[in-house]
């Protein structure tokens, strides 16, 4: 039986950052210092506990979010270590949806990087209070002040440094605590205790300045500190800590700490900060939901005696125990082998075993209470984003939104035996990963898999080979183009059939117009005087959506379009849902063909960090790939090139960049937006689509 903790002593947090900022390294240190592990795992050696998949250990990156539980100062900390690579952004999205707080890591040399911005926006979307840890302070080129400036400028945040680095680069020793006005030195050995010491004379002036600035910034966002500041009272460390917690929970500022996780420096103060400043489930507003019967908004308070509610946020096919579903319990409690209700699917389920996860290791528990993050066996019909609750009081929590895939490849089994296994394997992978899609192309007889990028699809195919023992041949990557319209049009759609007895009659008048990129599909009904009965209007929308799945230029999905139903007619006897659905479909196809349709292609944001001598060659190579240079910044001796580039031009870019720069440049990419494809290239795509 796992020890119970009061709700105010529980912290549910994510470790989030750009790839290679040190998320897994710091999580490994947290596990060691909290006594969860007895040997520190290293990413570079492939011994990290949290990177348990074979591919994670080989590549030295995190691919799947791993959960663990540890204990510090009488608090239970549930941690999810998330991936930093853009291809696995869904793992960050679902983790932030169910967690209360976050620790955002930054590389002290690189500062705020491309994926740092993405995870920050994700945390903003879910109003997740967070603290920042500037890592790798011992590296050559590390700059605490530059990182602070980038957090303020690029993330539009209010940084509140509560620590300063003691020393820098090779001479980095520890941290200066601005709240207590003292310094801590750390030895390289993980077992050496931090040594409290006085602030060096050379640092006192800058510490005084930073502490004054901290109090002033706090006063702007906290009334109690403002009153004390205006009265000229000295503010005690306890008053400062209390105010910093209030500001953090209100998302009015982010606390900044620093250290070097690899050298075991600054980790214990970070653990203290997690406990002191990040929220417990009680600090978060009651979770909002929709009453599944009345369709009204209700809330569920974070209490063990409240009705049970939980969100399934992750599904994993474990080769040893079977199908695991990860839950975040928002209210109430649930016991192993209890019957619950899946409100999303509208069916009852029975929970089997309840497990506390430690990466891929499991600890069985008999009960999960409010604030718990657990995995369970036995839920056969529960998927990512489903709400679990009591059948007598069904509610629906907000589901998790995921980005659409941008890259596809055709895959076919090598043998008849592989053919039998591949379908089951792919369906399990689709259950696990909401950004992974599988389609069967009737025209070509091919199975097409789609994901967030080359690495994402490489990992999926690798799992097919290793975990599911499926042999398969993989085609070349295909870009997920889209179609849209460029001018507004009005169009009629009719579906009339007379076959003796009842016929079919549906007639609609639509206005189609383009909307801003990324706004998707909008449907508006402005039918007056009962020209079309209200109960047929949803069928028109369904017909339009079905027609949008296959475009008129090259068969790609139609996006970013507004359809206004303004008129039509019906027949008392012959009209039906199916007739109006087909009429809507006909109108959409005809209208798109008349509205000067265009092809859209996915554009990626690309950041390249390179020594100055290679800048010219990199820019020339980007221009040859239709890249656009947005800006070039100096970071110490390195240059950062910010650009955008069509996804279709990025294949093989990593290899090309390595050869151009003798392997000394690094790059990161993330999806940016869809843009119109140049006409000459659009003609080629259309020709391929018509074959």
């Amino acid at each position: 039986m796992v020890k119970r903790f009061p709700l105010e002593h529980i912290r549910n947090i994510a470790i989030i950052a750009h790839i290679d900022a040190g998320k897994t390294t710091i999580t490994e240190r947290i596990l060691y210092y909290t006594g969860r592990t007895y040997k520190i795992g290293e990413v570079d050696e492939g011994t990290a506990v949290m990177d348990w998949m074979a591919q994670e250990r080989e590549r030295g990156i995190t691919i799947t979010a791993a959960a663990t539980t540890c204990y510090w100062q009488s608090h239970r900390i549930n941690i999810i270590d998330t991936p930093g690579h853009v291809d696995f952004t869904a793992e960050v999205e679902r983790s932030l949806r169910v967690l209360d707080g976050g620790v955002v890591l930054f590389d002290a040399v690189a500062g705020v990087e491309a994926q740092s911005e993405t995870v920050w926006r994700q945390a903003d979307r879910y109003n997740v209070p967070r603290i920042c840890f500037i890592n790798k302070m011992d590296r050559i080129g590390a700059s605490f002040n530059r990182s602070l400036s980038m957090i303020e400028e690029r993330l539009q945040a209010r940084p509140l440094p509560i620590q300063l680095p003691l020393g820098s680069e090779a001479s980095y020793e520890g941290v200066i605590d601005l709240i207590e006005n003292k310094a801590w030195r750390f030895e390289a050995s993980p077992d050496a205790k931090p040594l409290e010491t006085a602030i060096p004379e050379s640092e006192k002036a800058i510490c005084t300045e930073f502490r004054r600035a901290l109090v002033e910034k706090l006063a702007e966002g906290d009334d109690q500190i403002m009153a004390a500041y205006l009265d000229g009272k000295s503010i005690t460390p306890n008053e400062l800590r209390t105010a910093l917690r209030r500001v953090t929970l209100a998302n009015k500022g982010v606390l900044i700490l620093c250290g070097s996780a690899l050298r075991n420096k600054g980790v214990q103060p970070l653990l203290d900060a997690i406990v002191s400043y990040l929220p417990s489930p009680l600090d978060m507003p009651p979770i909002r939901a929709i009453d599944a019967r009345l369709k009204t908004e209700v809330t569920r308070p974070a209490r063990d005696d409240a009705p049970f509610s939980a969100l399934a946020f992750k599904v994993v096919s474990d080769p040893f125990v079977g199908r695991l579903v990860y839950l975040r319990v928002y209210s109430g409690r649930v016991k192993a082998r209890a019957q619950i209700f899946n409100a999303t699917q509208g069916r009852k389920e029975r929970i089997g075993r309840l497990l506390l996860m430690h990466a891929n290791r499991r600890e069985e528990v008999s009960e999960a209470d409010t604030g718990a993050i657990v995995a369970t066996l036995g839920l056969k019909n529960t998927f990512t984003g489903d709400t679990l609750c009591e059948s007598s009081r069904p509610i629906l929590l907000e589901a998790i939104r995921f980005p659409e895939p941008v890259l596809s490849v055709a895959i076919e089994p090598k043998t008849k035996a592989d053919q039998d296994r591949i379908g089951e394997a792919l369906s399990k992978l689709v259950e696990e990963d909401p950004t992974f899609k599988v389609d069967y192309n009737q025209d070509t007889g091919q199975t097409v898999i789609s994901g967030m990028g080359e690495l994402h699809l490489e990992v999926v195919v690798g799992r097919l080979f290793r975990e599911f023992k499926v042999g398969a041949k993989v085609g070349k990557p295909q870009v997920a183009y889209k179609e849209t319209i460029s001018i507004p049009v009005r169009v009629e759609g009719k579906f009339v059939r007379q076959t003796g007895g009842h016929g079919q009659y549906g007639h609609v008048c639509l206005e189609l117009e383009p909307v801003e990129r990324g706004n998707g599909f909008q449907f508006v009904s402005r039918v007056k005087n009962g020209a079309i009965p209200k109960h047929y209007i949803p069928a028109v929308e369904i017909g339009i959506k079905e027609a949008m799945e296959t475009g008129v230029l090259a068969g790609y999905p139609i996006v970013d379009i507004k359809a206004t139903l303004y008129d039509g007619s019906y027949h008392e006897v012959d009209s039906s849902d199916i007739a109006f659905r087909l009429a809507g479909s006909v109108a959409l196809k005809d209208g798109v063909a008349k509205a000067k349709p265009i092809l859209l292609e996915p554009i990626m944001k690309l950041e390249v960090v390179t020594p100055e001598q290679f800048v010219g060659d990199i820019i020339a190579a980007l221009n040859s790939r239709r890249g656009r240079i947005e800006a070039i910044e100096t970071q110490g001796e390195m240059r950062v090139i910010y650009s955008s580039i069509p996804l279709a031009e990025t294949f093989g870019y990593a290899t090309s960049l390595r050869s151009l720069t003798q392997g000394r440049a690094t790059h990161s990419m993330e999806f940016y937006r869809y843009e119109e494809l140049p006409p000459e290239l659009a003609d080629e795509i259309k020709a391929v689509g018509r074959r």
Side-chain angles (χ1 to χ4, degrees):
M1 178 69 184
V2 172
K3 182 185 171 188
R4 293 180 69 84
F5 283 78
L7 273 174
E8 59 268 24
H9 284 195
I10 293 174
R11 300 288 182 270
N12 291 318
I13 65 164
I15 310 284
I16 55 176
H18 184 90
I19 191 169
D20 207 27
K23 294 179 297 301
T24 301
T25 301
I26 206 158
T27 307
E28 294 294 324
R29 268 65 187 175
I30 286 173
L31 294 180
Y32 183 78
Y33 286 121
T34 57
R36 199 71 173 83
T37 56
Y38 299 97
K39 182 176 184 294
I40 293 178
E42 299 293 357
V43 175
D44 293 344
E45 295 170 13
T47 57
V49 173
M50 302 302 281
D51 283 350
W52 56 271
M53 282 175 65
Q55 292 200 61
E56 291 179 316
R57 295 188 165 186
E58 287 167 11
R59 296 173 186 269
I61 62 168
T62 301
I63 290 169
T64 182
T68 191
T69 300
C70 59
Y71 307 93
W72 184 257
Q73 292 182 1
S74 303
H75 286 65
R76 184 171 83 197
I77 305 174
N78 298 318
I79 301 174
I80 296 186
D81 173 29
T82 64
H85 196 286
V86 64
D87 283 16
F88 309 107
T89 189
E91 293 287 334
V92 184
E93 189 79 26
R94 59 174 153 204
S95 300
L96 288 172
R97 169 65 179 82
V98 298
L99 294 171
D100 302 323
V103 177
V104 189
L105 262 60
F106 299 96
D107 182 324
V109 178
V112 176
E113 298 172 87
Q115 193 65 6
S116 309
E117 293 186 56
T118 302
V119 297
W120 194 270
R121 286 196 301 271
Q122 288 172 307
D124 280 343
R125 189 180 309 139
Y126 295 113
N127 291 316
V128 175
R130 66 216 85 145
I131 57 179
C132 299
F133 185 83
I134 298 175
N135 193 23
K136 306 188 181 185
M137 286 302 308
D138 58 323
R139 282 185 60 200
I140 294 172
S143 171
F144 183 80
N145 289 338
R146 187 178 69 241
S147 298
L148 278 185
S149 301
M150 293 177 81
I151 290 169
E152 193 163 20
E153 290 163 17
R154 292 186 63 175
L155 303 179
Q156 303 296 299
R158 290 184 73 240
L160 301 169
I162 59 170
Q163 291 179 352
L164 294 180
L166 185 61
S168 63
E169 299 183 345
S171 63
Y172 178 70
E173 294 181 277
V175 299
I176 297 170
D177 183 341
L178 293 177
I179 297 172
E180 296 282 356
N181 268 327
K182 58 188 176 187
W184 292 94
R185 282 191 166 84
F186 299 88
E187 299 296 327
S189 166
D191 298 317
K193 289 191 174 178
L195 178 67
E196 184 182 333
T197 181
I199 297 172
E201 284 295 328
S202 58
E203 302 288 339
K204 281 187 175 176
I206 195 163
C207 288
T208 302
E209 177 60 30
F210 264 88
R211 195 176 195 276
R212 185 186 60 77
L214 174 64
V215 172
E216 285 179 1
K217 280 188 177 180
L218 259 183
E220 290 171 20
D222 188 88
D223 293 341
Q224 291 180 40
I225 296 294
M226 172 67 83
Y229 180 70
L230 292 176
D231 291 344
K233 292 179 184 174
S234 66
I235 297 163
T236 67
N238 274 342
E239 288 172 332
L240 257 184
R241 272 190 285 269
T242 307
L244 286 164
R245 179 173 176 78
R246 285 195 297 267
V247 166
T248 302
L249 297 186
N251 269 321
K252 291 181 179 177
V254 285
L255 310 194
I256 312 291
L257 297 89
C258 61
S260 169
L262 188 64
R263 305 283 174 247
N264 310 305
K265 296 178 180 180
V267 180
Q268 295 100 320
L270 175 62
L271 277 163
D272 292 340
I274 289 169
V275 164
S276 298
Y277 304 116
L278 288 180
S280 74
L282 286 177
D283 294 313
M284 304 304 288
I287 192 75
R288 291 182 176 182
I290 300 294
D291 187 301
R293 291 172 182 162
L294 304 175
K295 306 301 179 191
T296 54
E297 188 174 286
V298 293
T299 58
R300 288 284 185 269
R303 293 202 318 260
D304 284 346
D305 59 357
F308 169 67
S309 66
L311 188 75
F313 67 94
K314 186 177 170 74
V315 178
V316 175
S317 296
D318 189 294
F320 301 105
V321 295
R323 189 176 189 269
L324 279 171
V325 178
Y326 284 71
L327 308 177
R328 159 70 196 262
V329 181
Y330 282 104
S331 63
R333 55 176 66 150
V334 65
K335 292 185 176 181
R337 288 168 283 284
Q339 190 180 74
I340 55 165
F341 184 65
N342 184 326
T344 309
Q345 307 295 335
R347 60 199 303 172
K348 290 181 179 177
E349 289 259 58
R350 186 170 293 280
I351 283 183
R353 292 156 61 199
L354 285 170
L355 306 167
L356 269 185
M357 299 302 294
H358 179 47
N360 66 331
R361 298 206 292 277
R362 298 162 291 278
E363 181 181 345
E364 192 159 348
V365 293
S366 59
E367 187 177 62
D369 50 10
T370 300
I373 291 176
V374 292
T376 178
L377 292 161
L379 299 181
K380 295 175 183 172
N381 300 298
T382 296
F383 304 94
T384 299
D386 285 3
T387 301
L388 303 172
C389 56
E390 293 177 5
S391 56
S392 59
R393 303 177 74 173
I395 59 167
L396 285 165
L397 297 168
E398 184 189 352
I400 310 171
R401 299 187 300 272
F402 294 105
E404 285 295 311
V406 294
L407 197 66
S408 304
V409 295
I411 187 166
E412 56 184 68
K414 285 183 177 175
T415 67
K416 181 72 174 71
D418 290 326
Q419 190 167 0
D420 296 337
R421 288 198 299 266
I422 197 167
E424 184 186 352
L426 289 174
S427 67
K428 283 183 178 176
L429 290 168
V430 167
E431 276 187 18
E432 286 189 24
D433 186 349
T435 58
F436 175 63
K437 299 278 191 289
V438 178
D439 293 301
Y440 182 72
N441 189 318
Q442 297 283 358
D443 298 332
T444 62
Q446 281 183 317
T447 298
V448 177
I449 59 173
S450 307
M452 299 304 296
E454 280 185 284
L455 181 59
H456 187 194
L457 293 177
E458 267 180 43
V459 167
V460 166
V461 171
R463 291 189 64 192
L464 279 177
F465 296 161
R466 292 179 182 199
E467 287 178 40
F468 299 100
K469 307 292 187 273
V470 173
K473 290 182 266 186
V474 182
K476 288 185 178 177
Q478 300 294 315
V479 175
Y481 294 102
K482 308 276 188 194
E483 299 184 18
T484 192
I485 59 175
S486 54
I487 59 168
V489 293
R490 287 195 163 197
V491 66
E492 280 188 80
K494 270 190 178 180
F495 183 77
V496 183
R497 290 283 185 277
Q498 199 63 45
T499 54
H502 280 319
Q504 294 285 356
Y505 182 92
H507 170 220
V508 300
C509 297
L510 291 180
E511 183 176 50
L512 303 178
E513 54 189 307
V515 296
E516 198 174 323
R517 293 281 180 271
N519 279 9
F521 171 62
Q522 299 168 20
F523 178 78
V524 178
S525 173
R526 292 210 184 109
V527 175
K528 295 178 182 174
N529 305 321
I532 300 174
K534 281 185 180 177
H535 57 274
Y536 289 137
I537 289 172
V540 178
E541 183 179 359
I542 290 168
I544 293 170
K545 284 181 176 175
E546 286 175 349
M548 287 175 65
E549 290 174 9
T550 310
V552 300
L553 291 175
Y556 292 107
I558 299 165
V559 295
D560 300 337
I561 193 168
K562 181 181 178 182
T564 304
L565 176 64
Y566 67 90
D567 203 359
S569 62
Y570 73 104
H571 189 280
E572 289 283 358
V573 177
D574 291 350
S575 286
S576 65
D577 279 350
I578 212 161
F580 274 99
R581 200 177 86 205
L582 291 167
S585 183
V586 168
L588 189 280
K589 289 286 187 190
D590 290 350
V592 168
K594 294 173 183 172
K596 293 191 178 176
I598 55 173
L599 276 172
L600 302 174
E601 65 174 340
I603 305 295
M604 309 298 284
K605 258 189 194 175
L606 173 66
E607 278 187 23
V608 181
V609 181
T610 176
E612 186 177 11
Q613 70 217 65
F614 304 115
V615 168
D617 291 339
I618 290 170
I619 290 173
L622 284 172
N623 288 336
S624 71
R625 291 174 179 259
R626 296 195 287 130
R628 289 198 301 266
I629 309 301
E630 313 283 350
I632 300 175
E633 279 184 10
T634 300
Q635 281 186 8
E637 297 176 1
M638 306 296 276
R639 299 291 178 269
V640 185
I641 302 169
Y642 301 100
S643 64
S644 57
I645 183 171
L647 176 65
E649 304 289 346
T650 63
F651 303 131
Y653 183 71
T655 308
S656 167
L657 184 66
R658 273 198 298 272
S659 61
L660 268 179
T661 63
Q662 301 162 17
R664 293 171 63 194
T666 60
H667 78 292
S668 61
M669 248 184 294
E670 65 172 324
F671 174 71
Y672 179 33
R673 64 185 180 195
Y674 272 87
E675 287 182 5
E676 184 176 352
L677 191 66
E680 64 277 10
L681 294 172
D683 290 340
E684 291 176 25
I685 302 297
K686 287 180 208 171
V688 171
R690 291 192 196 104
R691 282 178 200 161

